Amino acid sequence: MPPFGLWALRNLGRSGPSPWQPPVASWQRPFGLGWEQPYTVRYASNIDDGPNHGMPLGGFGAGCIGRAPDGAFNLWHLDGGEHWFGSIPDCQFALFERDGSESRAHALATAPTGDDTRDGDGRSAPPLAAWNWYPASTAGHSTGTVAARYPLCSWNHTGVFAAEVSCEAFSPILPGDYRQTSYPVAVFVWTLRNPTAAPLDLSLLLSWRNTVGWFTNTDPAAAVHFRDDGSPEHNYVPAIGATEGQRNRRLDAPGLRGLLLEGHSSEPLAEGQGQWCLAVPDASTAGLEAVEVFRCSRWDPSGDGAEIWGPFRRDGSIPESDNDRRSRTDDPASAALAVRHRLEPGQSIEIPLVIAWDLPVTAFATGSRALRRYTDFFGSGGDNAAAIAAEALRHWRQWRQAIEAWQKPVVQHPDLPEPLRMALLNELYDLASGGSLWTAASADEPVGRFGVLECLDYAWYESLDVRLYGSFALLQLWPELDKAVLRSFARAIPAADATPRPIGWYFTQGRGRVEAVRKVAGATPHDLGAPNELPFDATNYTAYQDCNLWKDLASDFVLQVWRTYRLAPSGRDIGFLADCWPAAVTALRYLKQFDINDDGLPDNGGAPDQTFDDWPLQGVSAYCGALWIAALEAALAIGQQLQLELGLDTAGEQRQFGQWLEQSRGNFDVLLWNGEYYAIDADSGTPVVMADQLCGDFYARLLGLPAVVSDERALSALKAIKESCFEAFEAGRLGVANGLRRDGTPLDPEGTHPLEVWTGINFGLAAYYRLMGQTATALAITDAVVNQVYEGGLQFRTPEAITAAGTFRACHYLRAMAIWALWATHTNWQPIPGAERLP
């Protein structure tokens, strides 16, 4: 095979490829078609970027970019844990075509508007008036199709050019791979075919703005503020539009031709500093002299764009230049390259174009920073974008084949409906786009530290109650990263931070300022901190509730530790289990202190103190109590395993946990079973059927532990949940509401959590139904939720919650990856190819 995959530019022959078909099990939409009634945000303070949202490109923790269904590049998650959304019109592909007597050229996106373009001040920027933009599809006429099956996204353009035009974009997201999955790179493979009887001259253009230096917080304080409700937040003021010190230059290296976009660099390198690289194979070294590559190192995107569009529109060329002068203030610079080739009738060509970036530093609190995982392989100097691009050009075809191989068991699963197969793969987007942080390796962390935000609105990492559901994907596909997260929690449990903070929920209740310390020693933290502070070290960032009082977190931790040991496809890691054991013991003993009446079961305290943090529970609750019983079973299993394999003396802990377990089991049903389902709690008298009342039983059964409740009572409760919260709620079209009366009516029509459909809870609940042999119900629930997300303009920004009013809350939500729990129950933990590899 020739180096750098140069053969990808060869003439593919007169027959060419088969006509484009959307990939099986992909999300599809007509190119540029708008949404009539997309979901809109429930609360004005929440992020709502609108439905024109595409699949992210880029490795985990490397930052990512996203190209929308209308062709615009508008997602820029390049500053770790931060969000910036807006179209930059000069970041774009375009195509020129001449069929002899006529020629045409279009940027391959619909016309930008003032609403979706940005300049340095965040105001509406003038569009590139000289450019011709691609026509959008309408309800009666399609100009193309977008199809996404993460990490693959395809675009097909029809009815505008004589040529058949399609593109497939991807990054090397490969299960069990802890190197290439971190790469900051996007590969775009364009296929052009001439189906006509005459030659076609075609030229493909890629233009890109120099954004080096943009993606960093310019607020020097980066202080934590508290909203009126007490929730913490920080100012994020990126340097969008900054130009000082930027330069672009041509790049010629063995096997590639391209452009480097650079900026000012300090010593040490600061956040946002580094390079971009645009690259194509060096056609001349592959004997493809008929393929012409043009490069313009600098053009001004602040005007009408005629300097680049004029010659491109005329003959498919662009001005050749290598102008590497440094920009001044308010002096934007874009670069462009074009690939031109003549196709004879029936001939095709495949053109790989690579966009790589090297922005190696993520900054946190003043004076602290981390290097991204990919720097373990390319260095941390911020000058390796070309090396990353070169590796992509060498290996893109192998990457593409590897993606096809690992997706095959999902795509071809005979027992799962196609929408579910589609959503299984597409929900993985959050591992790249959810503000993910993946640091360079260290002696203590051989694959680095890893974390995904709870969501963009609740911007703190790996909320433990949420990842109880949402980490099933990470466990099954990248188990070493799942272990890294749980080790971070294990280190945090004994730590303390006495800083007082106001608790927001009390403000919402009109009860004034109530403060609590940030972290009590022994309490299981809710989260691993926020991107503006010291993630992994300063935990419990959220302050809406006092998480030191939560009654589910300790159980969540213990269950996830046993789950990861027992079910990780990379094998049972007794060292990991031993690392987490002291923290598990500490966490359970801390939680037991809330057993105020000594019945073995911790009591909820009246203020919301579990994952439904706007929903007060009083006394023993079904949700927390079932998790506690399952966690004690898991702790006993851990202690026995450590004693068996390592000879550790865990007899004392096992005796204590066994006594608590016997007490708890003896009282759980007595306090909560009402003859048909489990009451939400023992003391409040709240007459609702809680949808997730038996999450602990689900976990116990999934992990092969003794069930929390009998089969008969579990099935009876599931029947009540189906009838009350699913079938009687909007006739099942939305999914399962969190909690309704037995007749399906709301206890409080103005309630928040009970009337919401939580996507991740629904996926977890569907997995429980499947585990209990109720497959039809499981698939009906999943189908309803998937339909709402992917037909309602919520694709690649799946929220925590949707409502019957067509609103959503908390986009890019971690819990939604609970859909992979359904995969586990359908396949009995059959591993995805490659996921079992060790780093």
Side-chain angles (χ1 to χ4, degrees):
M1 181 182 295
F4 285 74
L6 303 180
W7 52 277
L9 271 170
R10 291 190 187 280
N11 188 320
L12 297 182
R14 297 186 66 87
S15 62
S18 301
W20 185 87
Q21 293 290 328
V24 175
S26 61
W27 173 78
Q28 299 168 36
R29 188 161 184 86
F31 185 90
L33 180 67
W35 279 256
E36 290 185 7
Q37 289 185 307
Y39 272 87
T40 55
V41 75
R42 180 173 189 178
Y43 300 113
S45 61
N46 275 201
I47 292 169
D48 186 359
D49 296 315
N52 191 35
H53 214 293
M55 189 197 82
L57 293 160
F60 297 173
C64 63
I65 58 178
R67 189 168 183 236
D70 68 354
F73 284 92
N74 59 7
L75 179 72
W76 308 89
H77 284 180
L78 292 164
D79 182 351
E82 307 291 0
H83 171 69
W84 192 78
F85 188 88
S87 175
I88 305 174
D90 46 299
C91 291
Q92 193 48 254
F93 290 102
L95 186 68
F96 164 85
E97 176 184 83
R98 177 184 290 139
D99 60 5
S101 60
E102 296 182 358
S103 63
R104 60 197 61 84
H106 291 277
L108 296 176
T110 62
T113 66
D115 293 334
D116 61 8
T117 58
R118 307 285 183 94
D119 66 6
D121 298 320
R123 300 171 302 191
S124 295
L128 300 169
W131 288 34
N132 299 326
W133 298 91
Y134 196 82
S137 298
T138 65
H141 175 70
S142 174
T143 59
T145 303
V146 181
R149 192 180 76 203
Y150 186 80
L152 303 169
C153 190
S154 302
W155 292 267
N156 182 53
H157 298 273
T158 57
V160 175
F161 296 100
E164 294 175 356
V165 180
S166 63
C167 173
E168 186 172 65
F170 56 90
S171 298
I173 307 301
L174 307 172
D177 184 297
Y178 300 91
R179 175 177 176 137
Q180 294 168 120
T181 303
S182 75
Y183 284 2
V185 68
V187 179
F188 297 84
V189 182
W190 288 87
T191 300
L192 310 177
R193 181 176 182 270
N194 180 3
T196 74
L200 290 177
D201 293 318
L202 296 166
S203 181
L204 181 66
L205 168 74
L206 171 60
S207 171
W208 206 254
R209 177 82 69 92
N210 190 327
T211 63
V212 174
W214 286 21
F215 299 104
T216 184
N217 196 352
T218 63
D219 180 351
V224 177
H225 309 285
F226 291 87
R227 302 186 186 102
D228 289 343
D229 66 0
S231 298
E233 63 176 355
H234 67 279
N235 291 337
Y236 181 58
V237 187
I240 304 301
T243 62
E244 187 74 34
Q246 291 176 343
R247 69 168 182 174
N248 304 335
R249 56 190 176 93
R250 289 169 58 151
L251 168 70
D252 291 297
L256 69 83
R257 301 169 87 177
L259 295 155
L260 277 177
L261 286 62
E262 303 171 308
H264 171 75
S265 294
S266 61
E267 183 59 43
L269 203 70
E271 183 178 66
Q273 295 178 350
Q275 294 178 329
W276 289 84
C277 181
L278 317 179
V280 294
D282 183 348
S284 63
T285 63
L288 299 175
E289 291 80 3
V291 175
E292 300 174 273
V293 177
F294 302 89
R295 288 170 292 172
C296 175
S297 67
R298 185 183 186 99
W299 67 276
D300 182 4
S302 64
D304 64 5
E307 65 177 294
I308 200 83
W309 195 257
F312 184 73
R313 174 67 181 84
R314 183 179 63 249
D315 60 13
S317 68
I318 58 175
E320 289 272 13
S321 71
D322 192 13
N323 179 354
D324 63 351
R325 74 168 179 84
R326 295 275 183 182
S327 290
R328 302 173 296 277
T329 302
D330 298 324
D331 185 16
S334 288
L337 61 80
V339 178
R340 188 169 68 179
H341 184 63
R342 168 167 286 192
L343 287 181
E344 297 298 328
Q347 292 183 337
S348 302
I349 192 168
E350 198 173 53
I351 305 172
L353 275 151
V354 168
I355 302 175
W357 55 98
D358 183 13
L359 306 171
V361 174
T362 297
F364 307 127
T366 303
S368 64
R369 47 181 256 156
L371 294 175
R372 288 173 155 145
R373 167 63 170 171
Y374 75 86
T375 63
D376 287 336
F377 317 111
F378 290 101
S380 58
D383 55 357
N384 293 292
I388 297 166
E391 183 154 343
L393 287 172
R394 277 193 297 267
H395 298 303
W396 70 265
R397 189 172 289 276
Q398 293 98 306
W399 292 347
R400 178 63 183 83
Q401 292 169 347
I403 292 169
E404 194 74 31
W406 79 255
Q407 289 190 339
K408 185 176 180 180
V410 178
V411 172
Q412 297 185 357
H413 197 288
D415 298 329
L416 297 177
E418 186 170 6
L420 173 54
R421 288 177 272 145
M422 175 276 294
L424 274 164
L425 296 169
N426 280 327
E427 287 303 321
L428 296 175
Y429 83 93
D430 199 52
L431 293 170
S433 191
S436 58
L437 174 64
W438 190 1
T439 69
S442 66
D444 293 333
E445 295 288 356
V447 296
R449 287 175 155 186
F450 184 81
V452 175
L453 297 178
E454 178 175 333
C455 68
L456 297 179
D457 291 298
Y458 314 146
W460 36 83
Y461 284 107
E462 292 292 338
S463 299
L464 190 62
D465 57 315
V466 175
R467 84 178 314 272
L468 180 73
Y469 306 82
S471 59
F472 277 97
L474 200 66
L475 168 67
Q476 293 176 78
L477 302 175
W478 292 274
E480 299 306 311
L481 296 183
D482 189 58
K483 293 177 191 176
V485 173
L486 292 171
R487 283 192 176 101
S488 292
F489 274 102
R491 284 189 289 266
I493 284 170
D497 182 346
T499 306
R501 298 188 302 169
I503 302 304
W505 182 75
Y506 291 97
F507 287 112
T508 69
Q509 304 301 302
R511 295 166 64 176
R513 188 180 183 91
V514 175
E515 291 189 343
V517 301
R518 178 163 178 161
K519 172 67 171 66
V520 174
T524 304
H526 169 272
D527 56 74
L528 293 175
N532 64 303
E533 286 194 335
L534 290 168
F536 307 115
D537 297 313
T539 61
N540 266 0
Y541 184 85
T542 184
Y544 184 65
Q545 297 289 353
D546 179 3
C547 295
N548 297 296
L549 303 178
W550 278 30
K551 309 309 186 298
D552 53 351
L553 296 173
S555 301
D556 295 346
F557 173 71
V558 174
L559 286 168
Q560 288 176 67
V561 167
W562 180 244
R563 182 196 68 177
T564 297
Y565 168 77
R566 189 174 185 276
L567 299 173
S570 53
R572 298 189 176 187
D573 183 348
I574 194 65
F576 163 76
L577 209 59
D579 290 343
C580 296
W581 172 247
V585 172
T586 298
L588 291 175
R589 286 174 173 167
Y590 178 90
L591 180 54
K592 181 60 167 62
Q593 71 178 309
F594 296 104
D595 176 12
I596 61 176
N597 53 10
D598 199 31
D599 60 6
L601 292 155
D603 293 275
N604 295 87
D609 52 6
Q610 26 67 43
T611 195
F612 301 94
D613 58 1
D614 222 16
W615 201 353
L617 303 178
Q618 185 69 53
V620 174
S621 67
Y623 181 75
C624 296
L627 286 170
W628 166 254
I629 291 171
L632 289 176
E633 293 284 7
L636 287 172
I638 294 171
Q640 292 164 6
Q641 202 68 33
L642 291 172
Q643 193 167 14
L644 178 66
E645 291 197 45
L646 298 181
L648 295 183
D649 182 5
T650 62
E653 291 89 348
Q654 289 188 61
R655 263 193 314 274
Q656 185 176 57
F657 296 155
Q659 291 168 358
W660 295 350
L661 179 61
E662 184 178 2
Q663 257 191 310
S664 298
R665 283 191 175 278
N667 289 310
F668 184 78
D669 278 30
V670 170
L671 291 169
L672 296 168
W673 179 249
N674 68 7
E676 186 182 11
Y677 57 90
Y678 287 87
I680 188 170
D681 59 34
D683 294 347
S684 73
T686 304
V688 300
V689 180
M690 185 183 193
D692 207 25
Q693 58 188 262
L694 290 178
C695 181
D697 187 59
F698 163 65
Y699 246 88
R701 292 172 185 270
L702 191 70
L703 303 186
L705 298 168
V708 173
V709 301
S710 70
D711 289 359
E712 180 185 10
R713 292 187 175 182
L715 290 170
S716 177
L718 287 173
K719 181 176 182 289
I721 293 164
K722 180 182 72 169
E723 292 174 353
S724 303
C725 301
F726 181 48
E727 294 173 342
F729 179 70
E730 296 292 318
R733 69 178 182 88
L734 296 183
V736 182
N738 282 326
L740 297 171
R741 295 177 188 267
R742 184 62 181 88
D743 64 1
T745 60
L747 181 66
D748 176 6
E750 303 301 321
T752 53
H753 289 183
L755 282 170
E756 290 181 328
V757 172
W758 286 13
T759 56
I761 296 291
N762 270 248
F763 293 146
L765 189 58
Y768 186 26
Y769 275 101
R770 173 65 181 83
L771 199 64
M772 297 301 294
Q774 308 290 303
T775 300
T777 302
L779 295 180
I781 292 170
T782 307
D783 182 69
V785 176
V786 168
N787 181 69
Q788 294 303 313
V789 170
Y790 287 91
E791 295 298 321
L794 295 172
Q795 73 287 338
F796 304 110
R797 55 181 190 135
T798 307
E800 161 80 315
I802 60 175
T803 73
T807 62
F808 73 89
R809 178 173 60 81
C811 63
H812 289 75
Y813 208 79
L814 168 61
R815 195 177 340 235
M817 280 186 286
I819 197 169
W820 278 83
L822 199 62
W823 171 259
T825 61
H826 268 274
T827 63
N828 194 29
W829 295 95
Q830 174 185 339
I832 294 291
E836 73 282 357
R837 289 181 293 181
L838 292 173

